[in-house]
Amino acid sequence: MNVPVALVRRPGPRLADGLVTHIDRSPLDLDLARQQWQAYADALSRNGWRVVEVEPADEHADAVFVEDPVVVHADLAVIARSGAPERRGEAAGVERAVRDLGLRVAHIEAPGTLHGGDVLRAGGTAYVGLGGRTNGVGIQQLANHLREFGVRVQAVPVERALHLKSACTALPDGTVVGWGPVVDDKEAFSRYEDVHEEPGAHVVLLADDHLLMATRAPRTAASYRARGYTVTEVDVSEFEKLEGCVTCLSVRIRG
């Protein structure tokens, strides 16, 4: 797999029924969401990623958030088990997609639960959010699966956000950047910085010097550019209404 792959899944007709936990529900424009999703996928493609669509799961409102059912490290795909029972059916299509890519597959087994959106890798550490969708048994199982790679797994409390990566992500240099009001334990990270706007806490690494982020954080985007990063901005406002962000709309697999 010489060209990096981004797995994506189109928003289905029930998107507006997606789960919301920490925010109030607001009206969602499905046509606009589909346009935003296409622009997101196009941004990945333009910047060197081979975009692979996972088969639809239209009966699952949250299936567009394709990051949650799997954690990929090197050639291993760990199929997650959602802490929201109504989301567990999303995983089957994602498993078929990673198998088609030739990845090895492992599973989080009951009573463990895990969401990919709770797994944040920075340096040699995988920080895993312990909260509503991911439990301690799931974190321990993930640690067992990643042991062969020498990855250190560290649980981090998540109470004020849906997922760990709803609160923070990491820059290419390993600095964790977060929206302070919803980061439960800033001291958990070896390097941590607050950002200026909530959507600025969510970055996808397109390359070592190139970030993808939401349009609604212009001050944070400017600060990243001042650090020498190229920044591509996309509008994901309809997905933000469901506690989504740029990270959860794809699974990035580097060769």
Side-chain angles (χ1 to χ4, degrees), residues 192-228:
Y192 173 86
E193 295 179 14
D194 280 336
V195 297
H196 300 292
E197 302 120 324
E198 184 171 3
H202 312 133
V203 297
V204 167
L205 309 187
L206 294 174
D208 288 342
D209 60 351
H210 194 169
L211 309 177
L212 177 71
M213 62 179 291
T215 55
R216 291 197 314 111
R219 291 176 58 207
T220 309
S223 73
Y224 293 151
R225 291 186 175 103
R227 297 169 83 139

Side-chain angles (χ1 to χ4, degrees), residues 71-78 103-104 121 123-124 126 146 149-151 253:
V71 175
V72 176
H73 187 90
D75 66 337
L76 179 66
V78 179
L103 299 180
R104 294 184 293 133
R121 274 152 298 184
L146 297 183
F149 302 104
V151 175
I253 305 170

